[in-house]
Amino acid sequence: MLEAVLLGFLFSLFLVFSGSYLRGRLAVLSSLIPLSLFIYFSTFISEIADGKVIYEIHEWVPSFGVNLSFTLDGLSLLFALMITGVGTMVFVYSSAYLKDHKYLDRFYGYLSLFMAAMLGLVLSDNLMSMFIFWELTSISSFYLIGFNNDKEDSRKSALIALGVTGIGGLMLLGGAILLGDVAGTYRISEMLSSREAIADSSHYVLILIFIFSAAFTKSAQFPFHFWLPEAMKAPTPVSTYLHSATMVKAGVYLLFRMTPVLNGAEIWHTVLIVVGGITMIYSAIHIIFRTDLKGILAYSTIAALGILVFLIGIGTQAALVAAAVFIVVHALYKASLFLITGIIDHETGTRDVTQLAGLRKVMLPVAIAGFIAALISGGVPPTLGFVGKDLIYESTLHFKDNAILLTIIALSTNVLLFYAGFVAGIKPFMGKLPKKFEKIRLPSPLMWVPPLIMTSAGLVFGLFPGLIETAVAKPIAMTQALQFEDFHLKLWHGFNPILALSATTLILGTVLYFVLKPKHSLEVTIAKLDPIAPKTLLINLSEGFAVFSKFWTNFFQTGYLRHYLFIVVSFLILLLGYLIFSDFSLSIDTSSLTELTIYEISILIMLLLGVLYTVFTKSRLAAVASLGVVGLSFSLLFLFYSAPDLAMTQFSVDTLTVILFVLVLYKLPKYLNLSDIRLRIKHGIISISFGVLITILILKVLSEPKNTEVTEFYAENAYKLAHGKNIVNVILVDFRGTDTMIEISVLIVAALGVFGLLKLKLKTKDKK
């Protein structure tokens, strides 16, 4: 499985050097990558259908429990097949759709990168590696959504998508860390044995918040849904791949994967049902206010994602099976509708459904694909959509609480999805062909064959639902750690309430389609609510944050070093002062102190005089010189206490510091006044306070028992291992030799930078 994941990354890398060979007619060869992966994963169908689960582990950072662990079970196999299957169609389609684009090879590179990241995400059995692949999907989708980066809308859409899903990624990281702490492992399969411990943990609610946030942002749940319609600025193949089959379903996948681990409390079900229910009905209502085909598909996608979250929240076997089947249904018809929309846009130059009609006369195969896709979307028998819709009603009707309310919500959403499918899949092809479209010709088969294949699959699976039952429904039901009850998917269940609900959906949807016509006036009406829309509120919040950031930056980043020191030292004084006055005790053993000698008293007096002269002198040069006296006094103290090497170091540093100060003063304006008496008093108070606190802390440290383990180690091994008698030198040169070398390198770089600044002679125009 690792090789399968790496293949996409390697192909992206290959395109960097050889991408020019895969432009033009040879571009379609790129589809061999997802096709080969689809065939590879297809070979596991029979094994997984028999209940087998395949594990694969590659050590990465074993000391932290972070490894490349992969699992292939019913759930991951479904997503792997969907990613590679729909991916193959998108790769083929793109070779014709973007045939003349000069960056087609770059597009395939981004697409391959995204495909590999998605495969890694759905196959990961380790939450940490899943987080990495999760973030890679956000980054690669950022490049894909903003592919037309010469357009401001594309750049803005890409940033919004990255911002929202990026926050979700951080939430996933938080949830993974907490789960790993509670369960003692990052492997999801091993967390199943800690299910009760996780549910009883004090972090359980916080874990749910993190996981929900990650899933809701990625899968565009209310109120984070707005990034998905915005992302429709991307090229149509991107919309097809990311928003119908892969990226937006990553959040759904996460919820599915974590259901056996986290669904131990009522809050899990309640939150998912409420959020999913709001999302599905809210987005479905938005459909009737849209005239842009991609806009209609975007909101119907959000509604479908809401249905999936809603079903996972219900959590019964019937609901989870319904969700699994609906994932397949949605991928087939939504990917097809996106590709068909791309064909229409490519050939007519518009996606405005109010201007489109009669296209069946010039694009009959596309019209057939659109017609079948609409039937699947509406749940019309004998398509797979009908099977999926029945399963949804079965789940809501048999739910223990509020069954009628949940069924009404599901019915309303399905009616509106029926309407959306017919508007996008049928309306552009019906009626009289406008004169401006009469010269349109059928595009390359590379564009219309992929949607025809996918819609045909939806029809075949509907006629033979046993294929989905064996390959998808039952294997996924087994992954959910349920008390598995055998079931069979059928096209016909006889006359019962579920059939009545399906019939009601078809009747109401048909009536709605013929009565309610897409109008720009409706779009204008809904636009009046934009000021209170979640997107507007979030943008206002981000703008407010930008204003606050500007104020914060201007307040702290003044450009004066003394200001930065004042802030840092003041903050430390507050922290240390709080510690001292809240919980602090100090006892000094005066008997252990030695009496001061005349030499020490003399050095101390010299040091104090140096400090006082540095503070009160009006001459900068004299201040620097007296500062040197302070440093030399410390050197003498070190010398008296038998530390000649330390004294030498102090002496060298102080001498160098004085020289550097003099050089800097030489370059400064002669009479520049940078401080006044009030500022000096303020800095004096801060300095004295900080000095007192540091003194107290040193006394506190001296009064505490000492751990001499490290000292003993160096004393014992300095000569044995490094053949040096001076422990300090051995530590600097041998035990921490790399650190010392890097520190010296930093100093050299800094010195070169300072030297360059001192020698810099800008021209007058450059200074401006």
Side-chain angles (χ1 to χ4, degrees), residues 697-708:
L697 281 179
I698 291 172
L699 292 174
K700 174 67 177 172
V701 170
L702 291 175
S703 66
E704 294 291 331
K706 296 177 183 174
N707 184 347
T708 60

Side-chain angles (χ1 to χ4, degrees), residues 219 221 272 275-277 279-280 301-311:
S219 286
Q221 296 298 293
L272 293 182
V275 173
T279 302
M280 57 198 269
T301 294
I302 299 172
L305 294 169
I307 291 175
L308 290 171
V309 172
F310 176 78
L311 290 172

Side-chain angles (χ1 to χ4, degrees), residues 712-727:
E712 290 170 359
F713 170 81
Y714 284 124
E716 185 180 345
N717 294 289
Y719 189 75
K720 285 184 185 175
L721 300 179
H723 307 290
K725 294 181 180 178
N726 187 312
I727 294 177

Side-chain angles (χ1 to χ4, degrees), residues 247 458 547 667:
M247 180 177 171
V547 172
K667 291 288 182 181

Side-chain angles (χ1 to χ4, degrees), residues 667 752-762:
K667 291 288 182 181
L752 289 174
V754 172
F755 179 75
L757 289 173
L758 290 173
K759 300 294 289 182
L760 185 64
K761 293 180 179 178
L762 290 176

Side-chain angles (χ1 to χ4, degrees), residues 326 329 333 370-393 414-415 417-423 425-426 455-465 490-492 498-499 501-511 513-514:
F326 190 67
V329 173
Y333 83 76
F371 183 73
I372 300 173
L375 297 182
I376 300 171
S377 168
V380 179
T383 65
L384 186 62
F386 177 73
V387 179
K389 184 160 53 42
D390 276 9
L391 289 170
I392 293 172
Y393 289 139
N414 280 330
V415 169
L417 286 181
F418 180 100
Y419 169 79
F422 271 51
V423 169
I426 293 180
T455 52
S456 300
L459 198 57
V460 171
F461 289 148
L463 290 168
F464 305 100
K490 296 178 182 176
L491 197 60
W492 175 253
I498 295 173
L499 181 64
L501 287 168
S502 289
T504 305
T505 306
L506 300 184
I507 294 169
L508 292 178
T510 306
V511 171
Y513 173 70
F514 283 106

Side-chain angles (χ1 to χ4, degrees), residues 484-732:
F484 182 76
E485 296 178 9
D486 198 17
F487 61 89
H488 296 287
L489 300 182
K490 296 178 182 176
L491 197 60
W492 175 253
H493 290 272
F495 294 98
N496 53 28
I498 295 173
L499 181 64
L501 287 168
S502 289
T504 305
T505 306
L506 300 184
I507 294 169
L508 292 178
T510 306
V511 171
L512 192 65
Y513 173 70
F514 283 106
V515 172
L516 184 64
K517 300 297 179 186
K519 296 177 185 175
H520 290 291
S521 58
L522 292 173
E523 217 161 21
V524 174
T525 302
I526 197 69
K528 293 177 181 176
L529 297 176
D530 281 350
I532 58 171
K535 173 190 167 186
T536 309
L537 296 177
L538 195 72
I539 288 175
N540 291 339
L541 180 66
S542 65
E543 288 176 352
F545 187 76
V547 172
F548 176 75
S549 300
K550 187 176 180 182
F551 163 76
W552 187 265
T553 304
N554 290 338
F555 182 77
F556 286 106
Q557 303 295 323
T558 59
Y560 291 105
L561 181 60
R562 63 170 186 261
H563 190 201
Y564 302 149
L565 285 173
F566 173 77
I567 293 170
V568 172
V569 173
S570 299
F571 184 70
L572 288 174
I573 289 173
L574 285 174
L575 285 181
L576 296 175
Y578 172 77
L579 178 66
I580 289 174
F581 288 106
S582 61
D583 181 22
F584 186 79
S585 62
L586 179 63
S587 62
I588 301 173
D589 182 12
T590 53
S591 62
S592 64
L593 301 178
T594 57
E595 293 183 359
L596 289 172
T597 64
I598 186 65
Y599 304 108
E600 291 166 340
I601 293 173
S602 302
I603 293 172
L604 188 62
I605 292 172
M606 186 168 65
L607 191 150
L608 288 173
L609 289 175
V611 170
L612 292 173
Y613 195 79
T614 302
V615 172
F616 292 105
T617 183
K618 293 183 179 179
S619 168
R620 292 175 189 150
L621 192 60
V624 170
S626 57
L627 197 63
V629 171
V630 174
L632 292 175
S633 301
F634 276 111
S635 299
L636 289 174
L637 279 176
F638 291 142
L639 200 60
F640 277 122
Y641 287 100
S642 305
D645 47 353
L646 195 56
M648 190 61 200
T649 305
Q650 179 74 30
F651 174 78
S652 303
V653 170
D654 263 288
T655 305
L656 186 61
T657 304
V658 170
I659 294 171
L660 287 174
F661 265 116
V662 171
L663 286 173
V664 172
L665 290 176
Y666 179 74
K667 291 288 182 181
L668 283 177
K670 200 168 184 179
Y671 299 107
L672 185 63
N673 188 13
L674 295 173
S675 65
D676 55 22
I677 187 65
R678 289 184 301 174
L679 194 61
R680 291 185 181 192
I681 291 174
K682 184 174 76 172
H683 289 170
I685 294 172
I686 291 291
S687 303
I688 292 170
S689 304
F690 191 60
V692 171
L693 285 172
I694 293 297
T695 304
I696 295 173
L697 281 179
I698 291 172
L699 292 174
K700 174 67 177 172
V701 170
L702 291 175
S703 66
E704 294 291 331
K706 296 177 183 174
N707 184 347
T708 60
E709 187 178 344
V710 176
T711 308
E712 290 170 359
F713 170 81
Y714 284 124
E716 185 180 345
N717 294 289
Y719 189 75
K720 285 184 185 175
L721 300 179
H723 307 290
K725 294 181 180 178
N726 187 312
I727 294 177
V728 176
N729 289 346
V730 168
I731 291 173
L732 291 174

